[in-house]
Amino acid sequence: MYDYISGKLMFKSPSYVVIDAGGVGYHINISVNTYSGIGEDEKCKLFAWLHVKEDAHTLYGFATEGERRLFLHLISISGIGPNTARMMLSSITPAEIQAAIVNGNVSLIQRIKGIGPKSAQRIILELQDKLRKEGPDTLTVVPVSQTVKDEALSALVMLGFARNTAEKVLDQEIKKNNGELTVEELIKFALKTL
């Protein structure tokens, strides 16, 4: 429902912030990682996710799109709720969590409060392939001006193709056509090959 909330930072603590956006104060739960990423600026923008339950609507905010994406991966696992995922993101950085999952480092994930050995193994089992397929740069901010190849690659990854395979096919198509293709043409040619 919400992609981001941008406004004046009215209150900041390690567990939540209040952002005044258009005269409405939004109480947004955050991780310690986001807390350190916000800084002391009066202007604040957080990527948001709304958790709707029978008795509450709770907003969660993230300093980066990558952190939100990892949070959504984590809560997709049975037994991992929003508060546990937020605890994970507060204990170690998103990049460390992603690396631990991809490399199968059960002991690092298990050190996080509230995560036992079975939960750590389930997280790795369910997310390892997804995070490998997305590649290590999914937690980085997407540049504003993307090349035709970048946009095509992003689209193919979203369609479920492995990043490395899609990138090789795109490079071949660009070489064949001397780099004079639109994003749509490049994707169509790549889909024929993939």
Side-chain angles (χ1 to χ4, degrees):
M1 182 177 175
Y2 299 106
D3 188 51
Y4 66 86
I5 295 175
S6 180
K8 184 177 179 184
L9 183 62
M10 302 302 287
F11 178 79
K12 175 183 166 189
S13 78
S15 60
Y16 75 94
V17 294
V18 176
I19 296 178
D20 181 337
V24 178
Y26 292 93
H27 180 283
I28 306 171
N29 293 301
I30 60 170
S31 67
V32 172
N33 183 64
T34 293
Y35 175 78
S36 61
I38 291 174
E40 297 302 321
D41 295 338
E42 198 174 280
K43 185 97 172 113
C44 184
K45 175 182 176 183
L46 292 179
F47 293 93
W49 180 75
L50 177 64
H51 184 226
V52 179
K53 290 192 313 189
E54 208 174 276
D55 59 344
H57 291 204
T58 310
L59 274 171
Y60 292 87
F62 309 93
T64 65
E65 172 61 35
E67 183 182 6
R68 177 173 64 179
R69 195 175 307 117
L70 183 58
F71 174 85
L72 293 174
H73 278 311
L74 291 170
I75 64 171
S76 71
I77 296 168
S78 175
I80 305 292
N83 284 325
T84 303
R86 185 171 65 141
M87 175 68 73
M88 291 178 74
L89 292 168
S90 293
S91 300
I92 56 177
T93 68
E96 289 172 327
I97 293 172
Q98 184 175 17
I101 292 169
V102 169
N103 298 325
N105 189 343
V106 176
S107 62
L108 179 61
I109 294 172
Q110 201 177 317
R111 277 189 239 143
I112 299 167
K113 184 180 179 222
I115 303 294
K118 286 184 180 178
S119 293
Q121 289 169 349
R122 188 171 45 243
I123 290 167
I124 290 170
L125 181 69
E126 292 188 28
L127 293 181
Q128 196 170 43
D129 288 342
K130 282 182 190 176
L131 294 179
R132 275 189 186 145
K133 188 184 260 189
E134 288 180 2
D137 57 344
T138 57
L139 295 180
T140 58
V141 178
V142 178
V144 175
S145 60
Q146 291 186 316
T147 64
V148 170
K149 179 188 168 190
D150 291 337
E151 287 186 38
L153 181 59
S154 177
L156 291 170
V157 169
M158 292 298 282
L159 290 172
F161 293 101
R163 179 175 288 276
N164 296 345
T165 309
E167 196 162 16
K168 287 175 188 171
V169 170
L170 290 175
D171 287 337
Q172 291 169 356
E173 292 300 332
I174 290 169
K175 203 178 230 183
K176 264 194 247 178
N177 296 287
N178 297 324
E180 296 177 17
L181 293 170
T182 66
V183 175
E184 294 82 9
E185 292 169 335
L186 190 54
I187 291 171
K188 284 179 186 175
F189 286 131
L191 286 173
K192 288 177 186 173
T193 308
L194 291 167

